[in-house]
Amino acid sequence: MVACLFYVLFVVFVAGHGAGLNCTGSCGNDGPDIRFPFRIKDEQPDHCGYPGFDLSCSDDNSTVLELPTGVSLLIEEIDYRHRLVHARDPLGCFPRKRLNFSLGASHFQIKTQNNEWLYDWTLFNCSSNEKRSPYGNKIPCLGAFNHDVYAVESYDTISDSDLLSCTKMYNIYGFTYGMLLEENYRLTISWFNPTCGSSEAECYGFLKHSVRRKLLITGVILGLPLFAMVIIALYRAYSVIKPGLSCFWMITEH
Ligand SMILES: *[C@@H]1O[C@H](CO)[C@@H](O)[C@H](O)[C@H]1NC(C)=O
Ligand SMILES: *[C@@H]1O[C@H](CO)[C@@H](O)[C@H](O)[C@H]1NC(C)=O
Ligand SMILES: *[C@@H]1O[C@H](CO)[C@@H](O)[C@H](O)[C@H]1NC(C)=O
Ligand SMILES: *[C@@H]1O[C@H](CO)[C@@H](O)[C@H](O)[C@H]1NC(C)=O
């Protein structure tokens, strides 16, 4: 009977813990406030955030957002009122990887400044010794000794360009001029609120399913040994069966 009470108390504790938890957090003490729809993966429970808004903390307490396209961003600031995130590339050089910067199916969208537009680019690696026309855009953060990297809009024809003497590197997609040409560019992205609302309270109905599932799994894991105990008790004495069974019914009804 004591074990039974203990078990019931534990389940109640786990349920209450999940519902009443303070969902505001941050990476280290200086990181931006992290609250709904964002949450820190593996640190805050699922219901604190909305799927697709998971953040993580790096070893040096940076706040990291990983997009479905494989792009990682360092989050510097989250403006909950205007739903904006200010972010940088972890190495201060957005074009350094073969990136598809389309935020595609995610909840995020690049917030372009006035007159800015997103373009697809082809990158060329050129020897600095050759003279060439100022045709492409030199990417400062990819330059190396004796070599410069130029970006040309993918739709442009380059047959007459001096860049023909360069080595084609790769294409990058969905970049603004700023992301390409400014070192350590600070990118602003906006997000769409989940359709269920802008707070965890409003989204509770949607999110509690995932919480419930966790509780169910916890219940099954903790319940199985108890079930075994009841079975063992059945073989022992009648005096053990009765409270054991009532406990069993209590739990399955719960
Ligand atoms: C949650 O925790 C944060 C930081 O620890 C604190 O600023 C905030 O007031 C807390 N909110 C509630 C409702 O306890
Ligand atoms: C990260 O933050 C924690 C808690 O605020 C702190 O104890 C730790 O020293 C920080 N680590 C680094 C590398 O700044
Ligand atoms: C980039 O990603 C978006 C969304 O995932 C996709 O629609 C698009 O086709 C991709 N473009 C390239 C060139 O991979
Ligand atoms: C450009 O080519 C040179 C020589 O092949 C190479 O050393 C350099 O790393 C290349 N630059 C980039 C950014 O790939």
Side-chain angles (χ1 to χ4, degrees):
M1 201 59 201
V2 171
C4 175
L5 266 177
F6 190 75
Y7 176 78
V8 171
L9 279 176
F10 184 80
V11 169
V12 169
F13 170 75
V14 168
H17 190 66
L21 200 103
N22 182 351
C23 278
T24 302
S26 65
C27 293
N29 296 325
D30 300 328
D33 267 2
I34 295 169
R35 52 187 155 89
F36 193 87
F38 297 95
R39 75 164 182 128
I40 308 175
K41 200 171 53 182
D42 303 329
E43 232 173 84
Q44 295 176 313
D46 287 355
H47 80 270
C48 281
Y50 192 82
F53 288 90
D54 287 351
L55 302 177
S56 52
C57 298
S58 69
D59 293 340
D60 63 351
N61 286 341
S62 299
T63 311
V64 179
L65 169 65
E66 205 159 305
L67 295 167
T69 49
V71 177
S72 296
L73 297 172
L74 285 189
I75 306 298
E76 290 192 337
E77 220 180 300
I78 304 176
D79 178 346
Y80 288 92
R81 207 158 76 97
H82 301 105
R83 296 200 295 277
L84 296 175
V85 173
H86 301 286
R88 290 186 206 272
D89 177 72
L91 294 180
C93 184
F94 280 112
R96 92 197 131 92
K97 272 195 290 182
R98 200 180 294 253
L99 289 183
N100 181 351
F101 217 89
S102 163
L103 306 180
S106 77
H107 298 274
F108 301 98
Q109 189 182 333
I110 292 180
K111 179 134 175 101
T112 50
Q113 314 296 323
N114 301 334
N115 301 322
E116 256 189 336
W117 204 246
L118 301 174
Y119 301 98
D120 299 338
W121 305 88
T122 305
L123 267 51
F124 293 90
N125 185 351
C126 312
S127 161
S128 319
N129 300 328
E130 284 172 49
K131 180 151 174 53
R132 67 185 56 79
S133 61
Y135 182 71
N137 300 279
K138 194 164 155 178
I139 301 176
C141 62
L142 286 180
F145 179 68
N146 267 345
H147 282 89
D148 292 316
V149 173
Y150 290 82
V152 175
E153 241 196 275
S154 297
Y155 291 119
D156 286 353
T157 44
I158 53 161
S159 49
D160 295 322
S161 163
D162 287 353
L163 291 171
L164 279 177
S165 63
C166 307
T167 313
K168 186 180 164 183
M169 291 170 69
Y170 47 79
N171 292 336
I172 50 178
Y173 303 97
F175 276 59
T176 65
Y177 272 92
M179 292 165 71
L180 199 66
L181 304 178
E182 275 181 47
E183 285 187 72
N184 204 19
Y185 182 75
R186 192 183 205 226
L187 181 71
T188 301
I189 55 183
S190 57
W191 78 80
F192 308 104
N193 269 342
T195 45
C196 55
S198 59
S199 72
E200 59 187 287
E202 288 171 62
C203 284
Y204 186 71
F206 173 85
L207 295 164
K208 75 178 173 195
H209 292 294
S210 60
V211 176
R212 260 205 197 140
R213 203 165 48 237
K214 268 199 174 164
L215 281 179
L216 191 72
I217 292 164
T218 312
V220 168
I221 289 169
L222 293 174
L224 277 178
L226 194 88
F227 184 72
M229 267 165 59
V230 172
I231 297 296
I232 291 164
L234 276 169
Y235 284 103
R236 292 237 170 123
Y238 180 69
S239 59
V240 186
I241 293 168
K242 224 175 152 193
L245 264 185
S246 62
C247 173
F248 178 65
W249 293 129
M250 244 165 102
I251 287 144
T252 45
E253 270 170 32
H254 190 86

